[in-house]
Amino acid sequence: AQTVTQSQPEMSVQEAETVTLSCTYDTSESDYYLFWYKQPPSRQMILVIRQEAYKQQNATENRFSVNFQKAAKSFSLKISDSQLGDAAMYFCAYRSAYGNEKLTFGTGTRLTIIP
Amino acid sequence: EPEVTQTPSHQVTQMGQEVILRCVPISNHLYFYWYRQILGQKVEFLVSFYNNEISEKSEIFDDQFSVERPDGSNFTLKIRSTKLEDSAMYFCASSEAQTGSYEQYFGPGTRLTVT
């Protein structure tokens, strides 16, 4: 079974600075998808960014980018120019590419933005 | 932008009672999911549903749980005899497809409190 580990329960960053959230995962599969979801206080999960394991290029979405290290099974999220609206729980998630459509989530990192 | 909706936002019930949580997935989506999040813990997969059948379920999804798509728009989760440990946030999600890096769109959740 796949597992996802987020070792940072809480992180904080000054507004406009850069922060990196860590995620590691364990799998024996060679093809899969990785996601970062944001859960603000309203509690609705919102997709931030996704990465296909077969792609070597790291995904980027505006101020959000990932550092995907397949051999190390690491998938960190970098938030540049942090904004107050970035404050939320961030969940890393794994999904197999082999017909197993469920998302497996990590325990989350609570990000606080310091004005 | 289309979104997944869930009702009610908060449900309080007594132990042993039946509850039905309702979801309206995005209209052209074919795959539906339920997840739950016990307070302070990670989001856990419960069940996935496609073509009027359960396609996968977790160990949590035991005989007290059932899902149904009673009409063309609603997707429901029924808990037959609630227990205290069923208290959690329940999220519905839907996706356009199963394979590929298709996003699962989450609803805002229903907070279930069992007393």
Side-chain angles (χ1 to χ4, degrees), chain A residues 37 44 50 52 95 100-101, chain B residues 56 98 100-101 104 106:
Chain A
Y37 277 88
Q44 186 153 8
R50 78 191 84 188
E52 292 90 343
R95 201 180 86 227
N100 183 339
E101 68 251 50
Chain B
E56 187 181 1
Q98 177 189 26
S101 62
Q104 290 184 18
F106 282 78

Side-chain angles (χ1 to χ4, degrees), chain B residues 17-33:
Chain B
Q17 296 296 304
E18 175 182 288
V19 294
I20 297 176
L21 310 183
R22 291 182 167 79
C23 168
V24 178
I26 294 173
S27 61
N28 65 331
H29 285 187
L30 301 175
Y31 297 85
F32 315 114
Y33 313 86

Side-chain angles (χ1 to χ4, degrees), chain A residues 61-98:
Chain A
E61 289 284 345
N62 301 313
R63 297 183 295 107
F64 298 88
S65 62
V66 298
N67 184 3
F68 172 50
Q69 301 287 330
K70 191 172 184 179
K73 297 180 182 175
S74 170
F75 182 61
S76 61
L77 174 69
K78 185 171 85 170
I79 306 174
S80 303
D81 185 27
S82 298
Q83 300 176 359
L84 294 177
D86 295 334
M89 281 290 285
Y90 286 81
F91 291 96
C92 178
Y94 171 103
R95 201 180 86 227
S96 170
Y98 299 103

Side-chain angles (χ1 to χ4, degrees), chain B residues 3-55:
Chain B
E3 58 182 19
V4 176
T5 59
Q6 290 185 242
T7 54
S9 56
H10 190 193
Q11 174 92 45
V12 181
T13 189
Q14 289 191 327
M15 195 168 53
Q17 296 296 304
E18 175 182 288
V19 294
I20 297 176
L21 310 183
R22 291 182 167 79
C23 168
V24 178
I26 294 173
S27 61
N28 65 331
H29 285 187
L30 301 175
Y31 297 85
F32 315 114
Y33 313 86
W34 283 102
Y35 293 83
R36 80 170 185 190
Q37 184 182 30
I38 295 172
L39 186 64
Q41 299 186 22
K42 65 180 176 181
V43 177
E44 299 173 291
F45 169 78
L46 289 178
V47 65
S48 57
F49 190 86
Y50 168 70
N51 199 25
N52 283 320
E53 289 184 346
I54 290 174
S55 48

Side-chain angles (χ1 to χ4, degrees), chain B residues 50-68:
Chain B
Y50 168 70
N51 199 25
N52 283 320
E53 289 184 346
I54 290 174
S55 48
E56 187 181 1
K57 60 182 181 180
S58 72
E59 293 174 352
I60 303 168
F61 194 88
D62 60 23
D63 291 344
Q64 70 163 337
F65 291 93
S66 62
V67 289
E68 194 178 32

